[in-house]
Structure formats: structure tokens, C-alpha cells
Amino acid sequence: MWGRHREAFSMYKRMPSRDHSTLVDDVEENSALLQNSMDVGTTNPSWLLSFPHVVVATISSLLFGYHLGVVNEPLESISIDLGFRGNTLAEGLVVSTCLGGAFIGSLFSGWIADSAGRRRAFQLCALPMIIGAATSATTRTLAGMLIGRFLVGTGIGIGPPVASLYLAEVSPASLRGTYGSFIQIATCLGLMGALFIGIPVREIAGWWRICFWVSTVPAGILAFAMIFCAESPHWLYKKGRSAEAEAEFERLLGGSHVKYAMLELSKLDRGDEADTVKLSELLRGRHFRVVYIGSTLFALQQLSGINAVFYFSSSVFKSARVPSDVANALIGVANLTGSIVAMLLMDKLGRKLLLLWSFFGMTMSMVLQVAAANSYVSGSGSLYLSVGGMLMFVLTFALGAGPVPGLLLPEIFLNRIRAKAMAFCMSVHWVINFFVGLLFLRLLEQLGPQLLYSIFASVCMMAVIFVKKNVMETKGKSLQEIEIALLPPE
């Protein structure tokens, strides 16, 4: 506490000389404000105030998961109805066009979030998802389907980085980890919802069109409900709208915490809004370290093999004679269970510890997959190791490697570069995601399961070392405290 008083005193000591009595009055006033703010700062704001805003924001993550999984079950019916059955290239395009749109959307997400605000960015991401889903649901041609999937992709490319930004900026420090886990849980629920809604597709003709129509409902709710949600106080302060930032802090934290929150926010330079963030600033100079950490975390997350597991797990379960619907349910339950446990532990154990144990658990899971592929293991033993290793991999991924990067990055990025840096890191995520999905089966054929899974295990172990050396713990710290700790001198 004394350190903060000393910091406040030294700040006033460096001020230009002016009328002595005015200076004394200001020091007394600010000392009282500091004391009152620190007393309030020792208590945590009620979760009831910020919770509704967080829930609305995570609808974007629900849609993200839903649209990633919506074509899995209905793809065969879609190909029959639209006349491209047996054309594997066309089937692949129906899946991957959405990823291409997501890459484009992620590139523009930072600019949209900074120029239009976080709330308006959510509404703008919902719009192409509604139009794209409606286009896919009504089309009679492959071209129409691809256009619809691309539009949906741009929406889900904008949504996740904005959701990470928003949750980090509206959440109390004591709950930021818990709320950040909502993104992963909502994504899991979206994936499971898509699989569940797709079940009748083989029995009911044209049911796949209903699958697309269903997604327009939560997208519409997101666009409408955001009208009543709080804008990010950090974005408002960055735009010079301090009075509005105070009002939003009162909605999110309660009146007694406003002064403390504004005091924390005012420790940082707002910067010149006319001075736009350039890509060169993110790739070199004082911002390079945090952007390097963020980009590498997302790269390691994707290179760990998680999407290969999600995309191609059915073949492993098929060899174990497990029906595809049961297999999907098992993967979904493992993913959701890990995400819920992560939510409970995020603000207790911290981000770094969860990341370390998550990547280590993924390493051990891949070791089981390597053992399963060994010719010395019996047939039934191989199947148990393979299925068990796959479920353990998904579970441990959901404990940390899945939810933590999306939460940690907006915590470690400076307010001025936060939106643009998130957009850059998410574009890295989508590029690697695309190539892993594209090349996995080819590499599996060329290298064999033992070597390929050994590579994935090595990447996960490299991630353990990288996290140990480079990632700082952010649990319980305000965004301003994190920024001051990471910001190198000019």
C-alpha cells in the first residue's frame, strides 16, 4: 500500500511548478481518492453485474462452434441435393471455404473493433452469419453454398477475437479467467449442438436446410441483445470518452468500484487516436515481445494436432467399431468436461500453470497414440490405447491449451494495440488451422501414424518449454498492472 502512495507522491513531484496552494489541494484530494480506491480495490465486484454482458458476448463463440460443425453430419445429404456427390474437392470446399472466410474476417476484426467499438463489432459479425446461413439454407447450387459458407466464415472470423477482447475488458480482474473460459464452453456447446441438430438429417429429406436456418436465431439474438450491453470502458477511454467509460464501469462493477477502475485506467497513456497502429509496430520494436508470445501460443496450439483429432477422430473410432454418433458424443463430452474444469480452476491455479499441465498432458496423450500404432501392441490393446489417448488429448487440451490463449492474449496486449494484435494472432491461428486440416491425411499416409504422432508430441513438449520461459502469470491482476509489467521503456 505504501508503495502506491510513494508512486503517487513521486508522480506529483515530477509535475511542473505551479501555484503552491493549488498543488497542495490536489495532492490532498488525490491522496484521499487513492486511499478510498485502495480500500474498495481490496473487495471484488459482484459477478451479477457483468455476467449478463458476458453471456451475450459468448453467443458469438456458440455460433463459432456451431458453424464449424454444422456440415459434418449433413455433408452427404448436401452433396446429393446440390448435385456434387462423389466430388471430394467440392465436399472439401464446402468445409474449407468457411475457414477461408474466417481468415479474411480475422484480418479485419481489429480494425472493426477499434473503429466501430466492441458492441458494434459483435453486431457486424452477426450480420454476415445471418445472411450466409440464409443463403446456404435456400441455395440450389454448389456456388450458392460456397458463397453462404464464405459469408458465415467472415462472421466467425470477426467474432472470436472481439469476444476475447470484450470479455477481458468488461470482466472484473477476479473473474476474468472464469469468464474467459465461457468462450471455450460456448464453442463446445455450439459444436455439440450442431451434431445434435444434424442427427435427423438421414431420415428427413432437406433437414440440412433446417440446420442452417437454426443458426440465424442466436445470431439475431446477439445483434439485438448487444444494443442493451455495456460498451468496453477501455475502448471508450482510448477514444477520449472518459465520462462514458465511468458510466459503463458503474454498470459492470458497481458505483463503489468506479473511481478505483478509472484510477487504474488513468495510469496508462491514452495515446493519440489519430496515430493508427501499423503492422510494422507489431512485428518489431517495443511491442514485438508480446505479439511474438501471442502468435507462438496460437501456432503451438494448432500444431499440437488438436484439429487433426477433431477433424479425423471418426476414422479412429470407426476402426474401434464405435458408431460415429457415439464417437462424436464422447469427443464432445471430453471437450466440455475439460472446459468446465478449466473454468473452475482458471482464477484459482492461474493461466500459466493450466497451460503447462495441459500441454504436458497432451504430450502424454500423443505418446499413447504412438504406442497404439506400435506393431508390438496387440489389436485390442492398440484400440484401447488409441481411443483412450484421443479422449485424454481432447480433455487435457480443453483444460488449458484451448481456453487460455484466447484469454491470455488480450490480457498481455497493450490497450493501444490490443485489437490489432488479436487480429494478427488470430490470422496466424486460421492459416495454421487450414494447413493442418489440408495436409493431415497426406502426412499420415506419407509418414505413418507413429512418426506423425511423435511430431505432435514433440510440438506439445516444445509448448511446455515455451510457456515455462515466456508466459507471465496474469491471475488476479488488472489489465493496467499487466501492461505496466510488460511494457518496455521507450
Side-chain angles (χ1 to χ4, degrees):
M1 182 177 289
W2 168 243
R4 293 193 182 184
H5 280 292
R6 184 171 56 193
E7 180 184 344
F9 177 75
S10 65
M11 177 177 69
Y12 285 101
K13 190 176 179 181
R14 293 194 296 270
M15 291 174 61
S17 59
R18 53 178 177 153
D19 181 73
H20 178 70
S21 62
T22 305
L23 181 62
V24 170
D25 291 342
D26 282 357
V27 170
E28 290 176 352
E29 180 183 345
N30 282 279
S31 296
L33 176 61
L34 275 169
Q35 182 63 52
N36 293 336
S37 298
M38 284 185 287
D39 291 341
V40 173
T42 59
T43 62
N44 294 325
S46 171
W47 63 272
L48 291 170
L49 296 174
S50 53
F51 182 75
H53 308 271
V54 170
V55 169
V56 173
T58 53
I59 294 175
S60 63
S61 300
L62 181 81
L63 287 162
F64 169 69
Y66 186 88
H67 282 295
L68 285 183
V70 71
V71 297
N72 285 3
E73 286 293 325
L75 186 57
E76 184 179 349
S77 298
I78 293 171
S79 65
I80 294 171
D81 286 359
L82 300 186
F84 59 89
R85 185 179 187 181
N87 186 338
T88 55
L89 176 61
E91 291 176 356
L93 283 173
V94 170
V95 175
S96 61
T97 300
C98 188
L99 301 181
F103 171 70
I104 300 298
S106 69
L107 289 178
F108 289 97
S109 63
W111 177 80
I112 292 171
D114 269 347
S115 58
R118 310 325 189 208
R119 286 194 313 167
R120 189 62 58 82
F122 279 118
Q123 293 174 318
L124 291 174
C125 91
L127 184 61
M129 282 196 272
I130 293 171
I131 297 173
T135 302
S136 296
T138 56
T139 187
R140 301 290 174 182
T141 65
L142 173 61
M145 174 60 69
L146 296 180
I147 291 170
R149 293 288 287 164
F150 182 83
L151 286 172
V152 163
T154 59
I156 66 173
I158 296 169
V162 176
S164 295
L165 281 173
Y166 186 76
L167 264 63
E169 292 175 344
V170 305
S171 304
S174 60
L175 293 171
R176 203 166 53 240
T178 301
Y179 283 167
S181 300
F182 283 13
I183 292 177
Q184 181 72 11
I185 292 173
T187 303
C188 294
L189 292 174
L191 281 164
M192 294 175 72
L195 295 172
F196 176 76
I197 290 171
I199 290 174
V201 75
R202 298 183 190 277
E203 285 75 35
I204 304 175
W207 182 260
W208 62 269
R209 297 184 187 275
I210 302 297
C211 296
F212 286 109
W213 278 121
V214 165
S215 67
T216 63
V217 175
I221 293 173
L222 173 64
F224 178 73
M226 265 295 152
I227 298 171
F228 307 99
C229 288
E231 181 55 270
S232 162
H234 293 255
W235 180 78
L236 291 168
Y237 182 80
K238 183 181 173 184
K239 292 293 182 181
R241 295 155 62 178
S242 298
E244 292 176 64
E246 281 195 46
E248 298 296 36
F249 269 135
E250 186 169 359
R251 291 180 68 189
L252 293 164
L253 307 177
S256 60
H257 294 270
V258 172
K259 295 298 182 185
Y260 179 78
M262 289 301 295
L263 183 66
E264 286 287 295
L265 204 55
S266 65
K267 289 179 182 178
L268 305 175
D269 181 20
R270 184 165 56 221
D272 182 5
E273 289 309 310
D275 179 23
T276 58
V277 179
K278 299 177 181 177
L279 182 62
S280 57
E281 288 187 72
L282 303 180
L283 300 181
R284 62 172 181 266
R286 66 203 301 252
H287 302 311
F288 172 75
R289 181 191 171 205
V290 288
V291 175
Y292 162 71
I293 291 172
S295 302
T296 306
L297 271 180
F298 266 131
L300 290 169
Q301 180 199 63
Q302 296 304 303
L303 291 172
S304 68
I306 184 60
N307 281 317
V309 168
F310 279 135
Y311 294 155
F312 306 108
S313 59
S314 57
S315 61
V316 172
F317 285 102
K318 188 176 180 180
S319 64
R321 296 178 182 176
V322 178
S324 62
D325 54 344
V326 176
N328 290 331
L330 289 172
I331 290 290
V333 168
N335 198 5
L336 183 60
T337 302
S339 300
I340 293 172
V341 173
M343 177 189 70
L344 299 174
L345 298 179
M346 192 76 74
D347 285 315
K348 291 183 174 65
L349 299 182
R351 288 58 152 158
K352 185 172 183 175
L353 192 62
L354 282 181
L355 268 181
L356 287 171
W357 282 106
S358 176
F359 277 119
F360 182 74
M362 292 163 71
T363 304
M364 295 298 100
S365 303
M366 278 299 166
V367 169
L368 290 181
Q369 294 282 22
V370 172
N374 194 301
S375 58
Y376 294 104
V377 179
S378 65
S380 59
S382 175
L383 290 178
Y384 285 130
L385 283 175
S386 183
V387 172
M390 184 163 291
L391 292 175
M392 179 180 168
F393 188 83
V394 173
L395 177 68
T396 52
F397 169 83
L399 283 172
V404 170
L407 167 66
L408 183 70
L409 269 56
E411 290 184 321
I412 66 174
F413 290 149
L414 281 64
N415 193 29
R416 178 172 172 269
I417 69 164
R418 189 171 291 138
K420 303 290 195 311
M422 277 298 297
F424 177 83
C425 293
M426 282 302 295
S427 65
V428 172
H429 165 278
W430 284 114
V431 168
I432 298 179
N433 187 343
F434 175 80
F435 282 107
V436 168
L438 182 68
L439 299 175
F440 174 74
L441 288 179
R442 180 69 59 86
L443 290 173
L444 188 61
E445 291 175 359
Q446 298 292 323
L447 303 177
Q450 271 191 292
L451 181 54
L452 185 57
Y453 289 139
S454 296
I455 292 172
F456 286 149
S458 300
V459 170
C460 292
M461 202 63 222
M462 287 169 56
V464 172
I465 298 169
F466 177 82
V467 170
K468 182 72 175 175
K469 290 186 175 181
N470 295 282
V471 174
M472 71 169 286
E473 183 53 68
T474 59
K475 179 188 69 170
K477 295 182 174 69
S478 72
L479 295 181
Q480 290 68 45
E481 290 172 328
I482 297 167
E483 183 165 332
I484 290 169
L486 286 171
L487 183 64
E490 292 277 13

